[in-house]
Amino acid sequence: MSLSTFSGDFIDTALSQLGASRIKVVSGKQHVVDFDLGEGLTLTYIFTITNENRCYLQRARPYPMVQGRLASTEEVLQFIARDRQAFQNARRSRNYSTFLDTARKTLALTHKMEELFITHNLSPEDLALLHQQGDRLTALMDEIRARSPEVPCEE
């Protein structure tokens, strides 16, 4: 059996220094970390350390987003620090609640599409329609990104 080179204690200490408001360890392997962004807004991450030198990271709140498997303690810390700073900047926007609503609708759409696909026998034509709409949405996001100024994110 190989031992993990990830140190949950080290990550927890570093996240405390970054301003984590709560860190909960479940069964010694799973860590739930909250950051209070103010005004009742919380940013929550869950990371799980395995014995196979892997760390799985996801943002759980304000909406779930899987980051995936990371190779090092430093990658976990860098991702969370950058993501936290981006959310601190974003929450100052007048459009923050609209953004959250849109993100949650997008996640609901993904779940709805999966449920449709695994519970119904879709025709190739209907699958092509869904695919085409996905392409249109991707193109629209690319268009909006190109015409919108980037927000600098300090670390």
Side-chain angles (χ1 to χ4, degrees):
M1 167 175 18
S2 72
L3 296 175
S4 177
T5 58
F6 281 93
S7 169
D9 290 339
F10 176 78
I11 294 172
D12 291 346
T13 300
L15 293 175
S16 289
Q17 292 171 349
L18 275 176
S21 56
R22 182 181 78 110
I23 299 173
K24 180 180 177 183
V25 180
V26 181
S27 301
K29 298 279 186 185
Q30 190 172 60
H31 301 244
V32 181
V33 182
D34 290 334
F35 288 91
D36 181 1
L37 298 180
E39 300 174 22
L41 301 172
T42 303
L43 192 57
T44 301
Y45 300 93
I46 299 171
F47 65 92
T48 305
I49 299 173
T50 71
N51 288 335
E52 291 80 32
N53 291 320
R54 294 181 180 150
C55 183
Y56 295 95
L57 175 66
Q58 69 177 4
R59 182 186 330 110
R61 197 175 8 201
Y63 57 89
M65 180 69 67
V66 174
Q67 174 59 26
R69 184 175 65 191
L70 300 177
S72 69
T73 298
E74 291 77 23
E75 280 187 25
V76 173
L77 294 173
Q78 286 172 359
F79 175 83
I80 291 176
R82 186 176 51 251
D83 196 58
R84 182 182 138 268
Q85 183 63 47
F87 268 92
Q88 283 179 319
N89 287 343
R91 79 162 177 81
R92 293 184 198 109
S93 168
R94 291 175 302 200
N95 298 321
Y96 186 72
S97 61
T98 304
F99 160 71
L100 287 182
D101 187 45
T102 303
R104 288 178 181 137
K105 283 181 181 181
T106 302
L107 287 167
L109 180 64
T110 300
H111 287 282
K112 200 173 205 173
M113 187 171 9
E114 178 184 87
E115 189 271 336
L116 177 65
F117 181 73
I118 64 175
T119 62
H120 291 75
N121 187 11
L122 303 181
S123 71
E125 295 80 18
D126 285 339
L127 280 171
L129 282 172
L130 290 171
H131 193 269
Q132 184 180 47
Q133 291 301 318
D135 287 345
R136 285 184 183 164
L137 184 56
T138 298
L140 176 61
M141 287 190 301
D142 289 344
E143 235 179 83
I144 292 170
R145 180 186 182 109
R147 69 175 176 247
S148 301
E150 190 170 338
V151 175
C153 192
E154 302 166 12
E155 286 194 42

